[in-house]
Structures are given as structure tokens and as C-alpha cells.
Amino acid sequence: MDLKYLFRPLTMAVIGVSTSQDNHPANVIYNKNHLRYPVKAFPVNPKGGILNREKLYPSVEDIQEDIDMAVIAVRAEVVPGVVEQCIRKGVGGAVIISGGFAESGNLRLQQQVLDIAKEAAFPFVGPNCLGIYASDYVDTFFLPGERIIRPDKGNVGFVSQSGGVLVDQMVKFAGQGIGISLAVSIGNKAYIRETDMLDWFDQDLETKVIAFYVEGFEKGEGRQFIKKAEQCSKPVIILKAGKSKKGIEAVSSHTASLAGDYRVFSEIMKQYCVAEAENEYELTSFCESLSCYPKGIKGNIGIITLSGGHGVIAADACERHGISIPGIESATIDIIKEKLTPGIRNIVSLDNPLDLTGSSTDCDIVTTARHLSRDDNIDCIMALLIPYSPGISTDIGAKLSQVARNEGKPMIAYVPNEDKYKIIIEGFELNNIPVASSVEGAVLMAKALMRCRPC
């Protein structure tokens, strides 16, 4: 399938626009795209007429211009006829917002729409979905623009069966400074499914990491997905729902998916090095770290901290998540100690985690990071920065980023996510170094790199 008309459209028809309900989903979608996005939008209502001085077209076939994509937001029973109109018009694909299909037991109607579309090779997203958000092109979410928190343009592609989870995850991404290349809510995924999205993202130059919220697969589809993920040239992350008995029941009523045997699926993901996030918090951390370091690590972490307590917290978290904190070579310890500021040389602890104390300066932290990066026992540096310390400048993020670039080993930072420390955070993020807002988050970022190492 050629999905470029869905994800990179120049023109769109919004079918189902109301002349009396300004908050109708189709109206929200049309107004948002007509006023805020470069895509040229055409409103469609079978009665025709005028809406806000714009012509309402009785049918998509009445629009004279070529239409790349259609957004269908009409009653479920009307959808088959609308799809047929789109096919006759030569529309490139559709997003079917409408509900009332397999998720509510109407399997026959969903199958009818699918048969019509497949016979004409007419791809569509949905039904029962929010659809597509591509920041430079289009937004088919029927949510008011002023209520949505949009992440910046970035390199994470995100696919979700649940529109609510997708929007909520976008909020988390924005808060953590993670940018997205494309976000797609596939709902009942009658036609376009996760495997199709894997194919798209694998070839998409704007995407470096691919993340999924999955509720279930058809019989045999999970294995097909995992095999495709293994062949994919980019890291793949999954947050799988439907792990418990009640969760499986909820999956069936939400998108009519088969949740399957979660334990089997989880073990297969581990075998094929697909990174499984336990929850949305892990998903956020995984996406940030893998968007910076797609190659993965063995999982031997060197921790630099300015607080012994933070080092202990990090050590406990590493053990919980199966991450190694190896010993440091004696030669590394000797050269670090030699180059530290004389005033802290005798009060620091250079066991891993390395506690430089709150009396350390930028120079001490940078020196330690540089030589720890050269230790063969370490394949990732974790810098736990406490910006309250008087010897720490606002340039520390940029300085440590320079070390990471020069030494060629991944670095993960922890900095409290406060406006007061924004310049430190930006010093890392502008240099493609992932920054967590908690110690646990930093450890989860390391876990993601370890899970995505070559098997």
C-alpha cells in the first residue's frame, strides 16, 4: 500500500460536516485543518450549502480538485456508501472516525467496508479511531486544538489502538521534550494494521524509533509482527495491554481485538529484542533514550553522582531492572583522583557509583565523565546532576555533551525538570543526550538501550 497520501496529504475532504453543530467531530477536524495546517481542506455535507462562507460539497465526487485523503465522520451505516464514493473519486486513502463497528458487535458492517476497500486497494485507518497527527501536514483528531498538547517535531513514530492513550502519551512526550514524526490512532485496525505501520516507519527518513500501544492481534498476527520488527532497521518499542483477565475482557469490548497469551508474547519479544515497556512511564523513557541511541548497549553502567543518596537510589533501581554496575579499573580510579580538585580529592568515593559530593565543580564532573568513558568495563555513563550545588554552572549540560560526543559512549542525564534548570537540560537535549526528570527515569532509559541490543 502507498500510504503517503494519508501521512503526507496536500488535499483532504472532511465528510460529515454539520451545518448546525459546531462541535461535531467533522466540524472540529475541518476547522482545525482549514485554519491551522497547510493541507487544503474541503467540507462535505449531503445537503450542500454554505458554512462560514465556504462551499459545502454534497459529495466528495463534487470536488473538482484531486483529493489525497478523506476523513469520514458519518453514521456507521452510511460509511460503506461514502467509501465507494471516495474510490470512484480516486481518493488516496481515508481515516474513518466513525464508531459502531466491530467494537460494538457490528462485525458484518466492518467486514463490508473492508471488502469494498480491499477490492479497490483503498487503504484506510480505523474505524473507531482518532486517526493521524503529522505536525507539518494534518491533524484528524476530533479534539479542539486549544486542548491538545502537541510535542515538537521529532523522530519518534507512535501507533496506538487507543486514541486516548495516544493523546495522553503526546502530553508525556511534550513534557519530557520528546518529538514525534507521526502519531496514528488505528482503532479497530480493519485495514491498516501494526505491520503496515512498521513497513512505513522503516522506510520513513524522519523516523528513528517506532513505538506501539497494542491491545491485541488476530490469530497468528503477533508472530508476523515480531518477525517484521526483528527485520526492521530501527528500534521497536511495545506497550502491551490486556495482560490480566479483566484487561483481556476490556480489550475485546474496546477494539474487538484478541489479547492472546501475554506471557508467550512477552517472551517472544525478548527473544527478538523488541523493547517491551511495562507502562506508559517506561514507554516515555524508552522513546527518549532510543531516539538518541538506537544501537543499544550491553548494560554496564558507570554512575556519576553529586549525592551519595542518589547513587544508592540509582543502584537499587539498576538491580531491579537487571542493569549491571561493574567495578572500575584501578587505572581509571587513579587518573580520576589525580585530576580532581585538591579540595575534594580525599572526600570523594570512586567506587561505582562515583560520588563526587556536593563540593565538586564542573571541571571535576567533566574530568570524571571523560575518563570513566574510556574504561573498558563501562558502556554507558549516567550523570545524576544536582544543580543546587554551588560549584555547578548552567553550562554543565553542554560540557558533558561534548564529552559524550568526543568519547563515543552513550550518556544519560538526570536533572530535575524545573524551569530554573531549563538551560542545563537544553545543554543536553540540543546535543541529543537524553535527560530524565527522575533517577528512576534515567535507569529506565538505560534499560531501553540494554533491551534493544543485538541478540
Side-chain angles (χ1 to χ4, degrees), residues 354-369:
L354 290 80
D355 178 11
L356 301 184
T357 79
S359 299
S360 58
T361 65
D362 283 8
C363 182
D364 296 317
I365 301 168
V366 169
T367 293
T368 302

Side-chain angles (χ1 to χ4, degrees), residues 195-352:
T195 49
D196 302 307
M197 294 307 307
L198 263 178
D199 290 337
W200 167 268
F201 282 128
D202 195 22
Q203 300 301 318
D204 181 32
L205 298 179
E206 296 181 1
T207 301
K208 290 186 178 180
V209 178
I210 311 167
F212 292 89
Y213 166 76
V214 176
E215 294 185 351
F217 293 106
E218 290 182 347
K219 187 175 181 180
E221 186 185 17
R223 184 171 296 276
Q224 179 188 4
F225 174 84
I226 291 295
K227 287 183 177 180
K228 279 199 176 235
E230 182 197 23
Q231 297 165 1
C232 184
S233 61
K234 301 168 183 178
V236 177
I237 306 165
I238 291 182
L239 172 58
K240 177 69 173 68
K243 303 175 184 179
S244 64
K245 181 180 179 181
K246 283 295 182 182
I248 291 171
E249 293 173 1
V251 161
S252 179
S253 64
H254 182 210
T255 54
S257 295
L258 297 175
D261 189 325
Y262 165 71
R263 287 174 297 178
V264 172
F265 186 69
S266 181
E267 287 302 316
I268 292 174
M269 282 193 285
K270 292 176 184 176
Q271 292 174 24
Y272 287 88
C273 284
V274 174
E276 181 189 2
E278 296 291 335
N279 49 49
E280 63 268 34
Y281 183 53
E282 280 200 2
L283 180 65
T284 304
S285 297
F286 282 21
C287 285
E288 181 167 6
S289 60
L290 289 171
S291 69
C292 298
Y293 302 116
K295 292 184 179 180
I297 60 175
K298 292 180 180 178
N300 298 317
I301 308 298
I303 301 172
I304 301 172
T305 180
L306 313 187
S307 156
H310 285 73
V312 173
I313 292 171
D316 286 345
C318 284
E319 183 169 331
R320 282 198 307 273
H321 294 290
I323 298 169
S324 174
I325 306 177
I328 308 300
E329 292 180 354
S330 57
T332 303
I333 294 174
D334 291 343
I335 194 169
I336 291 174
K337 191 165 188 178
E338 177 188 340
K339 293 181 177 296
L340 288 175
T341 303
I344 70 166
R345 196 171 290 160
N346 295 321
I347 63 173
V348 298
S349 171
L350 297 183
D351 293 327
N352 196 9

Side-chain angles (χ1 to χ4, degrees), residues 373-435:
S373 296
R374 297 172 183 175
D375 193 300
D376 291 336
N377 293 339
I378 303 299
D379 61 7
C380 180
I381 304 298
M382 185 178 297
L384 309 179
L385 297 182
I386 314 299
Y388 332 114
S389 299
I392 307 305
S393 80
T394 55
D395 290 330
I396 187 60
K399 291 176 180 178
L400 284 174
S401 297
Q402 186 69 43
V403 171
R405 285 202 306 269
N406 291 343
E407 301 301 328
K409 280 189 180 176
M411 179 180 290
I412 296 166
Y414 156 65
V415 181
N417 190 12
E418 296 291 339
D419 289 342
K420 186 177 292 187
Y421 311 127
K422 189 69 176 176
I423 192 168
I424 298 176
I425 296 171
E426 287 179 347
F428 286 113
E429 291 181 340
L430 292 174
N431 289 287
N432 213 34
I433 305 295
V435 184

Side-chain angles (χ1 to χ4, degrees), residues 61 79-89 112 116 122:
E61 295 178 275
V79 171
V82 172
V83 170
E84 289 176 334
Q85 292 172 10
C86 291
I87 291 169
R88 290 196 296 269
K89 170 65 177 173
Q112 181 185 358
I116 293 169
F122 177 74

Side-chain angles (χ1 to χ4, degrees), residues 149-194:
I149 296 176
R150 301 175 179 86
D152 292 334
K153 179 75 174 178
N155 59 23
V156 176
F158 185 48
V159 181
S160 173
Q161 280 189 254
S162 165
V165 169
L166 185 147
V167 173
D168 196 48
Q169 198 62 47
M170 287 172 62
V171 174
K172 293 179 173 64
F173 284 172
Q176 194 62 32
I178 302 169
I180 60 174
S181 57
L182 177 69
V184 184
S185 157
I186 56 177
N188 292 6
K189 54 178 185 176
Y191 199 146
I192 294 177
R193 308 180 70 85
E194 287 90 353

